[in-house]
Amino acid sequence: MIACLLTWFATWQHADIIRVANNPELVLSTIAASLGMLTSVIGWAGILLNNRTFLAVYTLLTWVTFAFLVTPGYITYRRYSLNLEGKINDMWANALGAMGRMRIQNQLECCGYFSPYVEATVSQTCYARSILPGCKKGIWEYEERILSNWFKAAFALVPVHICVMLAALMCSNHVTYRFGKGMMPEAYRLNVGSMAVIMDQYANQLAEQYGPEVAGKVLERSKSNLGLAQTAR
């Protein structure tokens, strides 16, 4: 989500190229990130409220989020691996339009596709006698790098998201109104050592009130009842 927002607001270098040349992928990635955040909020609400309905909706939305997560990765992978040069040629000639070509020319400091005489949009820096190079090499190299990073980042999240989906499937049906209730914190749970300390204190109190003989008998009986006699030895 942060990467998408930084791209939409053009806060890093050449971000405007992505907004022009990779707008469908950017839109899908933004939808995936937004849906993922909404899904996580619903999941947290289900956990905090012990609500199985919320968790069921959360489990369903993890699958929807997964679909939107892999879609931009698949699109960018196909574009990267299957005739990227031809796709860039078609994009420059047919898809960008005059304004889109001018925005890319301003970002890459180039003019025209092969040269200022081929499919150039006239601007203050791009005109017939401009010494700026053509944009094909620059946009090709930029698209190769961006598309490669894009699908690698998308597919790297797939194993993590699958683990989340499996955990949601396994856990959503086990949450009831008793979930998380009546559980003693570990720091306050009794163990053999803490029981021995409590019994020693109890024995000292008995010895002060009834004498050491009565205290010894009561302590021995308590140890045998709790099965601690052998442990104490």
Side-chain angles (χ1 to χ4, degrees):
M1 174 59 80
I2 294 174
C4 291
L5 291 177
L6 291 177
T7 304
W8 281 116
F9 291 110
T11 56
W12 54 31
Q13 188 180 21
H14 302 330
D16 199 35
I17 298 178
I18 299 177
R19 296 194 301 176
V20 174
N22 304 102
N23 188 263
E25 298 92 328
L26 182 59
V27 170
L28 287 172
S29 295
T30 305
I31 293 174
S34 303
L35 190 58
M37 293 182 64
L38 174 64
T39 303
S40 65
V41 170
I42 294 175
W44 275 109
I47 292 173
L48 295 176
L49 299 176
N50 299 339
N51 191 306
R52 298 182 71 177
T53 303
F54 275 31
L55 292 175
V57 174
Y58 166 76
T59 303
L60 176 63
L61 287 179
T62 56
W63 290 83
V64 180
T65 304
F66 179 75
F68 278 96
L69 174 66
V70 298
T71 299
Y74 175 72
I75 293 175
T76 52
Y77 174 75
R78 280 183 58 87
R79 188 173 183 182
Y80 173 83
S81 60
L82 301 178
N83 192 19
L84 177 60
E85 182 181 5
K87 292 181 175 65
I88 293 177
N89 293 340
D90 180 71
M91 177 185 69
W92 188 274
N94 302 313
L96 291 180
M99 184 59 65
R101 288 196 292 265
M102 186 173 67
R103 289 166 66 180
I104 292 179
Q105 288 174 172
N106 293 337
Q107 287 288 316
L108 296 178
E109 297 180 354
C110 57
C111 183
Y113 194 50
F114 296 102
S115 69
Y117 299 100
V118 181
E119 295 180 329
T121 298
V122 178
S123 64
Q124 292 181 350
T125 58
C126 181
Y127 44 89
R129 295 184 178 182
S130 174
I131 61 173
L132 294 176
C135 296
K136 179 176 180 178
K137 182 176 183 296
I139 191 172
W140 189 1
E141 293 176 349
Y142 184 78
E143 283 290 296
E144 273 190 324
R145 185 173 72 257
I146 287 298
L147 293 175
S148 176
N149 294 337
W150 205 318
F151 75 76
K152 287 177 182 177
F155 290 150
L157 294 174
V158 168
V160 179
H161 195 80
I162 289 177
C163 292
V164 172
M165 293 162 57
L166 293 176
L169 286 173
M170 290 187 293
C171 297
S172 60
N173 288 332
H174 298 282
V175 175
T176 65
Y177 72 98
R178 292 292 302 165
F179 180 77
K181 302 295 191 302
M183 298 176 64
M184 180 69 70
E186 185 176 359
Y188 298 98
R189 296 174 188 172
L190 293 178
N191 52 36
V192 176
S194 59
M195 284 296 298
V197 173
I198 293 173
M199 292 177 66
D200 288 340
Q201 294 176 353
Y202 180 56
N204 293 332
Q205 294 177 0
L206 291 177
E208 292 177 359
Q209 294 181 4
Y210 305 104
E213 185 176 352
V214 175
K217 291 180 180 180
V218 173
L219 185 61
E220 188 67 27
R221 185 181 303 171
S222 299
K223 287 182 178 180
S224 62
N225 291 337
L226 294 174
L228 297 177
Q230 186 175 359
T231 303
R233 294 192 188 97

